[in-house]
Amino acid sequence: MPDIAPHVDPRRWKALIFIALAQLMVVLDSTIVNIALPSAQKDLGISDANRQWVITAYALAFGGLLLFGGRLSDLWGRRRTFLIGLTGFALASALGGAAAGEGMLLGARALQGVFGALLAPSALSLLAVTFTEARERAKAFGIFGAIAGGGAALGLLLGGVLTEYLDWRWTFFVNIPIAVIAAAGAVLVIREPAVGRNSSRLDVPGVVLASLGLVSLVYAFTRAESDGWLAGVTLALFGAAAVLLLAFVVVESKVAAPLLPLRVVAERNRAGVYASLGLAVIGMFGLFLFLTYYLQIVKGYTPVVTGLAFLPMVAGMITGSTQIGARLMTRVRPRLLMAPGFTVAALGMLVLSQIDLDTSYPALILPGFVLMGLGMGTAFMPAMSLATHGVQPRDAGVASAMVNTSQQVGGAIGTALLNTIAASATTAYATAHAAGARSADLLKLQSMVHGYTSAIRWAVGILALAAVIAFTFINTGRPGAGSPAASSSDGAAGAEAGAGDGAGTEEAAPVPVMVH
């Protein structure tokens, strides 16, 4: 293919508004339904045993089909897949809001996951091919990273407001106007560059193996949380996931047009992004999970006040992403933003691990939230940009899907792992202090807080590990600066691409994600 100069779309900043709006809808949905779940459970008569499926049905479909969705965006075109994802997500949300029973609600959640798996990677890859100039790219990904990082916390606030003042069904219906606006904007202003389509035949064995493997992995962590890590079903699911994903790697190394070209994950910078983001999300999910329960049960906050309590963290994420990450992205190496960012977030988490029954929100929780937000926002911005680092345009969709996959799997692991740690610590504390307890209610709260702090301390270590991985693996230079070591790794990746499918390395030119 001949060299093609990067195309600068004059409507790119308007396009960013609608791409970001769609991303916000997907991210909001990951937490907004959590707040509404108790009300929906009571209204529809969902049993305690089945209520987890309101969350799990979405996670399984979304996590299991993300790579497939990313590949379809490369095959069909990102703009078309983006519109299909928006339309389907809106219809599934309408179905969920109108649910007359448990089955209808669970089906709607699964459909949301299916169309979310189309929408999320197409949104990120559209951003990758729309913004090609280094400074503009930094600003665009700063906004996108802030939304990705802060949207989940914002969902807690919106979910509380809608549930408390309207009805739980509005946590679904709210997606409809967002999707309509984003779709209208996409039709009017988003223009996908002509280059970069991947018209190769769909890798059906890869789709089946990846989808089943990821579903087994996510479901294994879900069952581990409820049944225990050594339960027969849990171990069988982990074993099945390992076999399926190993078979997937073998198939991808042999087929002519793989679902996930191994060059996408073999490049050290992208690998570092996927691994560090997955670990960071484990810590974030732990924070949202435990602090939400702590603020409502221990401190007695209403759902709305709980959501408001998280807003300083959202503000910190936006500030870290747009004012720190975006401004420094073109001046320093990405690892010098990501590693310190994750470290600051870990310090914020360490502050929050000091909570007790009478902790002051302004004195301890607020500064912890601000540090968490600033750190995550600073780290997320370059991470989102590096997700398609040096990738060929036709692989942009699946490379973008890998970011969402790492976060989705990280979220499932975080929920199961940290909740198990918290439950074990809670039980151990209650047993050890039962004899000297002044009251059963007080002991219950003390045990609960001890469990939360124990799990949060684990999350501190996980975030520190994310910082180490980011600093160790990510060696690309800042935009516009040369880096021989990094360039050689990209050259190898390009040579592999050319050998594997007959494409020349010049195809990377239209998407100069990071120039070494």
Side-chain angles (χ1 to χ4, degrees), residues 308-327:
L308 289 171
F310 277 97
L311 281 185
M313 184 168 68
V314 177
M317 285 180 175
I318 294 173
T319 302
S321 186
T322 61
Q323 301 304 311
I324 300 176
R327 289 178 181 272

Side-chain angles (χ1 to χ4, degrees), residues 384-412:
M384 289 295 177
S385 180
L386 281 173
T388 49
H389 162 80
V391 78
Q392 296 181 42
R394 60 182 174 177
D395 292 335
V398 74
S400 301
M402 276 300 299
V403 182
N404 291 284
T405 300
S406 66
Q407 292 182 76
Q408 189 66 24
V409 173

